[in-house]
Amino acid sequence: MLISMFDTIFLDRDGTINDVGYGYINGLSDFHFYDYAFEALDILKGHAKNFIIVTNQSGLSTGRVSIDPLNEIHQFVTEEFKKRDLPLRKIYFADDYNEGFNAIRKPGIGMFLQAKEDFNVDLKNSVMIGDSIVDVQAGERAEMKTIFLLSGYGKSHLEDVKKECKPNLIANDLLHAAKEIQLI
């Protein structure tokens, strides 16, 4: 069986690798990886050279999230990936509500364009995985393959995703996606 090999797997953060909790995550004590996250990521690293996390964090502009706790969370995530030899290149985040085509905030493709510039990412040979319609829209706009997850807020976005997007795969969660990624 041929294994699909991607340049980069882009991952949403909340609802994809960690529980969304009760909305805004504004501290390390509120951040919890899904129990299956590292098993899934270990499988996925066999399908890509790199991981990049792309996350909308509009709570920064509204004051619901503070930059120091966000940086602490991202440092923790980076260390956990490194401990497990997972090739995380960077965590990009959008801190505003600008939603233009090239905006940093998903569904804008600004974070993907920045990753392309920073790491010479081949977007057309990459995949975006997330639990929101904006994850799928951003991936499609950047001409990547997309996987939509029903974890996190996914179930509440499912009907809109089916109407407006064409994800390459709809999966229950990241572990399910990891086990089925070769099908896309």
Side-chain angles (χ1 to χ4, degrees), residues 18-34:
N18 62 279
D19 189 0
V20 294
Y22 298 104
Y24 292 98
I25 297 172
N26 192 27
L28 200 48
S29 63
D30 297 330
F31 184 90
H32 306 286
F33 282 107
Y34 284 126

Side-chain angles (χ1 to χ4, degrees), residues 3-166:
I3 293 182
S4 169
M5 186 65 174
F6 296 102
D7 179 84
T8 300
I9 294 176
F10 288 89
L11 299 159
D12 175 49
R13 195 189 82 179
D14 303 335
T16 299
I17 64 170
N18 62 279
D19 189 0
V20 294
Y22 298 104
Y24 292 98
I25 297 172
N26 192 27
L28 200 48
S29 63
D30 297 330
F31 184 90
H32 306 286
F33 282 107
Y34 284 126
D35 292 343
Y36 53 78
F38 292 113
E39 180 183 354
L41 292 164
D42 198 50
I43 294 168
L44 288 170
K45 83 175 182 181
H47 296 279
K49 295 185 289 186
N50 305 300
F51 292 128
I52 293 176
I53 295 174
V54 286
T55 178
N56 287 349
Q57 294 295 319
S58 56
L60 284 168
S61 64
T62 63
R64 290 185 172 145
V65 175
S66 302
I67 192 67
D68 289 340
L70 180 69
N71 287 336
E72 183 181 17
I73 290 166
H74 288 173
Q75 182 63 39
F76 173 72
V77 170
T78 300
E79 290 168 6
E80 292 300 310
F81 273 64
K82 188 174 183 174
K83 270 193 235 177
R84 292 166 174 85
D85 196 31
L86 297 168
L88 178 63
R89 299 301 298 265
K90 188 164 182 169
I91 300 173
Y92 293 94
F93 63 90
D95 62 356
D96 61 33
Y97 281 100
N98 181 355
E99 292 187 359
F101 189 85
N102 287 334
I104 298 298
R105 180 179 175 77
K106 297 175 287 182
I109 61 171
M111 288 188 277
F112 304 94
L113 295 175
Q114 191 63 54
K116 179 179 180 177
E117 183 178 313
D118 292 347
F119 300 107
N120 197 30
V121 172
D122 177 2
L123 293 175
K124 289 185 180 180
N125 188 32
S126 295
V127 62
M128 174 65 209
I129 303 176
D131 69 315
S132 172
I133 189 169
V134 298
D135 296 319
V136 178
Q137 289 169 329
E140 289 178 349
R141 287 178 175 185
E143 299 181 31
M144 296 186 291
K145 293 194 182 267
T146 59
I147 299 176
F148 178 66
L149 303 179
L150 299 176
S151 57
Y153 295 116
K155 288 178 184 162
S156 65
H157 290 270
L158 181 59
E159 290 310 310
D160 289 336
V161 167
K162 285 181 175 180
K163 285 181 206 164
E164 298 179 33
C165 305
K166 291 184 169 62

